[in-house]
Amino acid sequence: SSLLYQSLLNSKTKSSFQFGHLNNKRLDVNKPDNANPTSIHSEYTGDLLSSEWSVRHKASKSFSLNPGIQLKTERAKFKRKDNGIISSMGNKSLFSQGLFLQNHCSKNAIGLSFGARYDHDSVSNNALTYNLKPSWEWAPKSHLSLNLGTGFKSPSLFQLYDQTYGNEKLNPEKVLSADLGAEIQNKESRYSFHLFQSNYTDLMGFDKNFRSINVAKAKTRGVELAASRQLLKKVEVSGN
């Protein structure tokens, strides 16, 4: 369930408040068969409470500012029986809070978006991440952009506290990403081209006993092409 409340503070400033609650109860049973001779029975119960307050201030057509704060509380318990081996996690909770600021400014055909976020939780301590995106609109509805950013992913309660597979010393994943892209649009067609790369550190995985560990560094890179064309008023063809 979720709730959203928005209010207009003045002609240039809007305030938003969001509240959400997610409850998850799951029972998984895998009976022995020829393909898998082991018996698995697991029960999971958890809920997530989240709230966010933000303000969007549009000072002019070319400048906007968006600060905010986010709070989350996750609680869960878990029990698993795998071929007679019992693994469990009692009632555990994780509290996190985040402060963020997003800014966008533009002049003529040049635009710049900048965002920063500070997170603190009860397990992984502190993290400061950012996002920087300059862009150039060389023609109407056509632009070139560069997107640079960092991010992190905290371990789940299961990865931290499960008796058999958990690891309380697990570090959060960190990533540095870059994306260079171009988009072209006219009355009937849209085309886009992107080059991207992401470098990960403290990547989370499993050892030979399926215990959660930080395994290594990793790198991903690729190219993405997409195109679409309006054939008729209500018919469009696209591919990527």
Side-chain angles (χ1 to χ4, degrees):
S1 60
S2 61
L3 172 70
L4 172 64
Y5 174 76
Q6 296 180 324
S7 63
L8 194 64
L9 302 181
N10 55 51
S11 60
K12 296 183 179 181
T13 308
K14 182 173 69 173
S15 174
S16 298
F17 175 78
Q18 290 180 296
F19 174 81
H21 176 239
L22 176 64
N23 183 265
N24 186 4
K25 293 184 179 181
R26 188 170 66 244
L27 174 64
D28 296 317
V29 178
N30 183 16
K31 296 181 179 181
D33 54 34
N34 293 332
N36 187 2
T38 62
S39 173
I40 300 176
H41 182 102
S42 65
E43 300 176 21
Y44 174 89
T45 302
D47 66 333
L48 175 66
L49 294 172
S50 63
S51 60
E52 181 180 308
W53 175 78
S54 64
V55 174
R56 178 173 176 80
H57 177 67
K58 192 172 180 62
S60 65
K61 291 183 178 180
S62 59
F63 184 85
S64 64
L65 197 64
N66 180 207
I69 182 172
Q70 185 181 63
L71 305 174
K72 288 185 179 181
T73 300
E74 182 184 2
R75 296 173 296 193
K77 61 180 180 179
F78 176 86
K79 185 176 181 180
R80 174 187 175 100
K81 187 175 181 180
D82 187 347
N83 201 28
I85 301 175
I86 296 177
S87 172
S88 65
M89 179 186 76
N91 289 307
K92 295 291 184 179
S93 62
L94 177 65
F95 175 73
S96 62
Q97 52 192 345
L99 300 172
F100 60 87
L101 176 67
Q102 187 73 33
N103 168 259
H104 177 77
C105 56
S106 61
K107 185 174 183 180
N108 299 326
I110 305 298
L112 177 64
S113 295
F114 173 76
R117 182 181 176 102
Y118 172 78
D119 285 277
H120 173 81
D121 64 44
S122 54
V123 175
S124 302
N125 298 319
N126 309 320
L128 180 63
T129 55
Y130 69 87
N131 178 266
L132 180 66
K133 184 179 180 181
S135 61
W136 171 44
E137 188 176 18
W138 78 78
K141 298 183 179 181
S142 300
H143 66 270
L144 179 70
S145 64
L146 174 64
N147 196 345
L148 299 172
T150 59
F152 85 109
K153 178 183 178 183
S154 293
S156 68
L157 289 174
F158 175 81
Q159 290 173 312
L160 288 169
Y161 298 119
D162 181 78
Q163 281 184 339
T164 303
Y165 306 111
N167 179 5
E168 294 189 35
K169 295 183 179 180
L170 204 61
N171 295 322
E173 285 184 3
K174 301 179 181 68
V175 61
L176 172 63
S177 300
D179 181 299
L180 177 64
E183 297 189 14
I184 303 172
Q185 183 174 347
N186 55 38
K187 187 177 180 180
E188 297 177 342
S189 305
R190 293 194 305 270
Y191 307 94
S192 66
F193 172 80
H194 288 269
L195 293 171
F196 61 87
Q197 178 170 313
S198 297
N199 297 334
Y200 295 86
T201 57
D202 284 329
L203 192 68
M204 289 184 285
F206 305 95
D207 62 14
K208 62 180 181 180
N209 297 315
F210 300 103
R211 183 170 178 263
S212 299
I213 59 170
N214 293 108
V215 290
K217 296 181 179 180
K219 181 183 294 185
T220 63
R221 58 167 65 116
V223 179
E224 181 178 352
L225 301 172
S228 65
R229 184 174 179 83
Q230 193 81 35
L231 299 180
L232 300 172
K233 185 176 181 179
K234 296 184 178 181
V235 178
E236 182 180 89
V237 178
S238 62
N240 57 18

